[in-house]
Structure formats: structure tokens, C-alpha cells
Amino acid sequence: MKYSVLHNRACVFTLLGLLAFLFTSTLMVSAIEALSVKWERIASSDAIVQGQLNLPKDVIASLNSSAEPIDILLPFEVTSSAKGKIAKQKILIHYFAKSSSRTPSTKLIVENNRKHLIAFLYNSDRASEFYFAERHTPVILPFKSSDWLETTGEVEKQRNVIASFSKSAAARPNPNDLVITQLLNDLTKPAKQQQAWNRLINLNRVQLIALVKFMDDTRSLNHMQISIDTPLSDMESIAHYSPPTVLDALSLLLNHKSGANLRCLFSGGSADERKATLESWKIWAVYSKKT
């Protein structure tokens, strides 16, 4: 009898310990997943600001009455910025009302009017105008001091990663370098482009990390056409692109193969866009090297 009671207690304690371990593991996984999403969203954004939408009545009326997708400029009053060059306290955010893209819903925009928010933005070709950074959602969050502190800390961490990239483990010479540089050279030669691309698209994760240190390459690809498999949920199983430069092509490659959701130049971009894209993948390479 005594043995039976002790045995039952031991089983209970074992079961409780197992449940505690599983619960802790779940929390750890959730935390890691949440952190991953946060750092990618920060790395992909040109600007991160806190402040509030200040929508006049006519803008709200346009948001509610529009039947077709239209570009509406949303006034946003900036209190402070964690990332980006914000020249003015009052900025405008392009919002495509009634669009099927991942921008916030019209309802969410109106409900958050004059509320303290954190917004993740892309630059436009005008200094005081921006777009929502739609690659990651949500692009607006209710302001919390803890979230802002975490965001500013991650921004500073990423700045340091970019500044010291050349000294990082991701930038060190390794056995893959010779093969990678030859493939990138072949990518610029029309007669060898397709074969080089086919080999690049099959690089493993270690080789992809090594690839990033050669990514700052704006050599022309002479109207090269590349094809990439897309998820079955997409309308077409293969997407076709014509990246103008080596850097553009590598951003497509990394976006497809790395598992990260970072900046990607589908059809080229400005010098600033290429710089931001390169920096986001440098952050990925350094973070990946540590895991």
C-alpha cells in the first residue's frame, strides 16, 4: 500500500514535470518566433515612428465611401522616430483604400485615428511621404513603452551589425567563396547565366550566408530572365523576373531560399533601395551565423 501511494505520487510529479517542460518549451518557441518576426519587420522598414494619425473629416469620408482602390494620403503626426530620416513632424502615408493588399483595413485605420501608435514605413521618392511597410503585418501597433524600448534597442543593435559586418563571422573567408565568386562572374555572362543561376538556386543555407558578403555587386545582368517556383496557393506555380543587377538577383534568391521575409528587389530599385536591401540581408547573415 505504501509503495503504491509513493509510486502514484512519483507518477504525478513526473507528469507535472513533463507538463511544465512542455509549457516552458512552448513559451520559448513562441518567444523565438515573435522575436524573429520583430527583427525582420524592423530590418525591412525604412522608418519606424511613434505618433498619431490625424485624419480630417474629408479623409475619413473618402476612406468610407471609396468603392474602388484609390491612393489616399493619411496625415500622421510624428512624436519621435526609432529609425529613418524624418525631416518633418507631420508626414503623409500613402494608403490604398479598398485594396486587397496587406495594408491595414479601412476600419482599423479609422478606429485608430488620433490614437498613440507605432508605425512601420517604407520611404517614397518624397522626403515627407511614406508607405506602410506591408511585407510584415501589423504595420501599426498600439503604443506601449515596453514595445518602443525593445524596438529602439533592436534598431541600435542592427545598426551595429551593419557597421561591423566586415568583421563578423558571416564575412570571414570560407571554402565556399571561390565557387560563389565564379558563379557570380558567370551570372554576368549571357552564355553562362542560366547554368550559374541553376547552381545558385540550389545553394545550401551555409553557402547562402557566405553569399551575402559578395552581394554588394551592381554589375549588369544584360536583361537576364530568371524563374522561381512559387507556393501552390499562388495563381502561377513559377514566377518570372528580369533583375537588372547581380544584387537584385541575389535579393530574389535569398528571399526565396533563406526562409526570411526581408527586402527584395523584384525589378531593380534606386541606390537607396539597394542599400537598404543589402543591409537587411547582412543582418540576416549575422543573425543566422549565430544560430
Side-chain angles (χ1 to χ4, degrees):
M1 180 69 179
K2 185 177 180 181
Y3 169 79
S4 178
V5 171
L6 290 174
H7 177 71
N8 289 338
R9 286 180 179 175
C11 290
V12 169
F13 286 134
T14 301
L15 179 59
L16 289 173
L18 178 60
L19 290 172
F21 171 77
L22 291 173
F23 178 71
T24 303
S25 300
T26 302
L27 287 179
M28 289 174 65
V29 170
S30 298
I32 290 169
E33 289 173 348
L35 178 62
S36 173
V37 170
K38 286 179 181 178
W39 82 253
E40 289 183 17
R41 179 166 54 194
I42 291 167
S44 295
S45 299
D46 289 317
I48 304 171
V49 298
Q50 62 159 304
Q52 67 176 25
L53 288 163
N54 189 14
L55 308 180
K57 291 181 180 179
D58 62 322
V59 170
I60 294 175
S62 296
L63 287 168
N64 290 327
S65 64
S66 173
E68 300 293 331
I70 57 170
D71 183 10
I72 297 175
L73 291 172
L74 308 179
F76 191 99
E77 295 184 2
V78 177
T79 305
S80 64
S81 63
K83 183 179 181 182
K85 298 177 181 179
I86 309 297
K88 296 182 180 180
Q89 186 179 1
K90 295 182 179 180
I91 63 173
L92 297 171
I93 302 174
H94 289 265
Y95 177 71
F96 294 93
K98 306 298 181 182
S99 128
S100 59
S101 68
R102 293 183 293 177
T103 50
S105 67
T106 300
K107 182 183 179 204
L108 189 64
I109 290 290
V110 174
E111 285 178 350
N112 281 282
N113 189 32
R114 303 188 188 282
K115 292 183 180 179
H116 197 178
L117 304 171
I118 300 173
F120 299 83
L121 307 171
Y122 290 145
N123 292 335
S124 76
D125 54 2
R126 296 185 178 182
S128 60
E129 295 183 12
F130 296 84
Y131 296 90
F132 286 119
E134 295 173 4
R135 182 167 286 276
H136 292 275
T137 55
V139 293
I140 55 172
L141 298 171
F143 179 84
K144 292 181 182 178
S145 298
S146 57
D147 288 344
W148 187 249
L149 185 63
E150 184 179 359
T151 298
T152 54
E154 178 62 26
V155 169
E156 185 60 28
K157 181 181 177 183
Q158 292 184 10
R159 285 192 184 119
N160 292 334
V161 166
I162 294 164
S164 60
F165 178 79
S166 62
K167 298 177 182 178
S168 70
R172 290 175 191 160
N174 69 66
N176 297 293
D177 290 353
L178 187 60
V179 171
I180 289 171
T181 53
Q182 185 58 58
L183 288 175
L184 297 184
N185 287 335
D186 289 349
L187 201 63
T188 65
K189 301 171 183 177
K192 297 183 177 181
Q193 279 181 336
Q194 193 56 55
Q195 184 180 6
W197 178 255
N198 291 342
R199 292 184 63 188
L200 285 166
I201 204 74
N202 286 304
L203 294 180
N204 61 38
R205 186 175 179 83
V206 172
Q207 293 168 326
L208 290 174
I209 294 171
L211 181 70
V212 173
K213 65 175 174 284
F214 301 105
M215 194 173 173
D216 191 8
D217 188 340
T218 55
R219 284 180 292 173
S220 172
L221 295 184
N222 302 304
H223 308 290
M224 176 187 179
Q225 299 292 319
I226 63 173
S227 300
I228 294 178
D229 294 335
T230 57
L232 294 176
S233 58
D234 289 356
M235 293 183 67
E236 295 184 5
S237 60
I238 299 178
H240 306 282
Y241 303 101
S242 183
T245 73
V246 173
L247 190 158
D248 304 330
L250 296 187
S251 77
L252 287 165
L253 172 69
L254 288 166
N255 186 64
H256 175 65
K257 291 281 292 183
S258 69
N261 187 17
L262 294 173
R263 300 185 70 119
C264 183
L265 298 165
F266 295 100
S267 56
S270 66
D272 285 344
E273 288 171 329
R274 287 192 170 105
K275 180 175 180 288
T277 299
L278 174 61
E279 289 178 348
S280 72
W281 287 109
K282 283 182 176 180
I283 294 165
W284 169 80
V286 171
Y287 283 12
S288 297
K289 196 69 175 176
K290 291 179 180 179
T291 58

